[in-house]
Amino acid sequence: MDQKIPTSQPLNSPANPPAQDRQRQSGRWKLFAVIAVCAAPMLASYFTYYVIKPQSRTNYGTLIDPRAYPIPELGSTALDGTAESLASYKGKWLMVQVDGSDCRKACQDKLFEMRQLRLMQGKEMDRIERVWLITDAQPLETMVMREYDGTRLLRVKPELLKAWLPAEEGTSAADHIYLIDPLGHLMMRFPKDADPNKVKKDLSKLLRASAIG
């Protein structure tokens, strides 16, 4: 009796997936690997800053859970009316203040502090941008704009901004300077009339811990 010679399984059988499927699966793993490599520096810096030796770390600013305060659509524009958002500065550390265009002493004090805090970071200062979110459509004083040249000026819709930035009890968002990380996460708030030296220490520690931005 003739013996039947077993035939090999079809190329498209479940045990032998097509080469195209294997290539697709391989591509997915490569994509995941690229994402992991890109995210690793920031994850490592956060782990170092927030987890390792927490007893020896004291931060002056109040840490904010970015999951509770995602950056909303603010309807923001540059001074010339063109659409521009905080996402335009992604990849940088952002010091953010909120004030109306009638920038009185408290407003100017914060603009001054943000400028000086950036300068005090020395060779690291280019990693930081200063942002003033302006809550109305009135003209700005030319002297203020000249004095704090380099500050990013964005007009926002106050009703959209109101529910976003958390403030200390008895204060408003206009009393604080906020910090946004290079991935676009709101992560720290400094107190009203903050001590610049203590703010500088927080910024320096974050810049040292962060491998991006």
Side-chain angles (χ1 to χ4, degrees):
M1 181 181 293
D2 294 337
Q3 293 183 343
K4 293 183 178 180
I5 300 174
T7 58
S8 59
Q9 293 179 337
L11 291 178
N12 60 351
S13 70
N16 226 339
Q20 185 177 2
D21 290 345
R22 292 197 299 271
Q23 290 176 352
R24 187 181 299 114
Q25 187 175 15
S26 175
R28 289 197 190 101
W29 282 112
K30 288 179 181 179
L31 176 61
F32 292 151
V34 170
I35 293 172
V37 169
C38 293
M42 179 56 73
L43 294 175
S45 68
Y46 277 155
F47 183 80
T48 300
Y49 188 75
Y50 295 120
V51 180
I52 296 176
K53 297 181 180 178
Q55 293 84 2
S56 64
R57 176 187 54 76
T58 56
N59 48 277
Y60 176 61
T62 300
L63 293 173
I64 297 171
D65 183 351
R67 295 170 299 180
Y69 299 96
I71 298 178
E73 173 56 52
L74 298 172
S76 54
T77 64
L79 294 186
D80 62 4
T82 58
E84 189 171 341
S85 71
L86 290 171
S88 302
Y89 314 119
K90 200 169 182 179
K92 299 277 190 176
W93 291 90
L94 305 183
M95 285 190 290
V96 179
Q97 75 165 51
V98 177
D99 283 285
S101 57
D102 184 18
C103 189
R104 299 300 179 93
K105 184 179 185 303
C107 168
Q108 293 186 38
D109 284 347
K110 284 185 296 173
L111 289 171
F112 175 80
E113 288 170 12
M114 291 198 303
R115 184 184 68 187
Q116 297 306 111
L117 286 165
R118 180 176 178 273
L119 290 172
M120 283 191 286
Q121 298 307 319
K123 64 181 182 180
E124 304 291 340
M125 69 179 183
D126 288 338
R127 299 170 65 187
I128 301 172
E129 291 282 3
R130 299 162 288 153
V131 181
W132 174 9
L133 299 180
I134 306 164
T135 55
D136 57 51
Q138 300 303 311
L140 299 180
E141 289 189 17
T142 303
M143 290 303 296
V144 172
M145 295 173 63
R146 288 179 179 174
E147 179 70 17
Y148 302 106
D149 184 39
T151 302
R152 306 296 185 174
L153 308 175
L154 294 180
R155 294 193 189 275
V156 299
K157 295 181 178 180
E159 65 275 14
L160 298 178
L161 180 72
K162 186 177 181 181
W164 173 40
L165 295 172
E168 291 178 357
E169 186 176 354
T171 70
S172 69
D175 293 317
H176 302 285
I177 292 174
Y178 295 86
L179 193 65
I180 296 174
D181 73 19
L183 296 180
H185 300 142
L186 178 66
M187 54 84 63
M188 188 171 280
R189 177 190 66 220
F190 295 107
K192 181 179 180 180
D193 301 323
D195 183 333
N197 289 322
K198 294 181 180 179
V199 176
K200 174 184 176 293
K201 289 180 181 178
D202 274 4
L203 286 174
S204 297
K205 285 188 288 187
L206 284 167
L207 290 173
R208 285 197 304 269
S210 172
I212 66 173

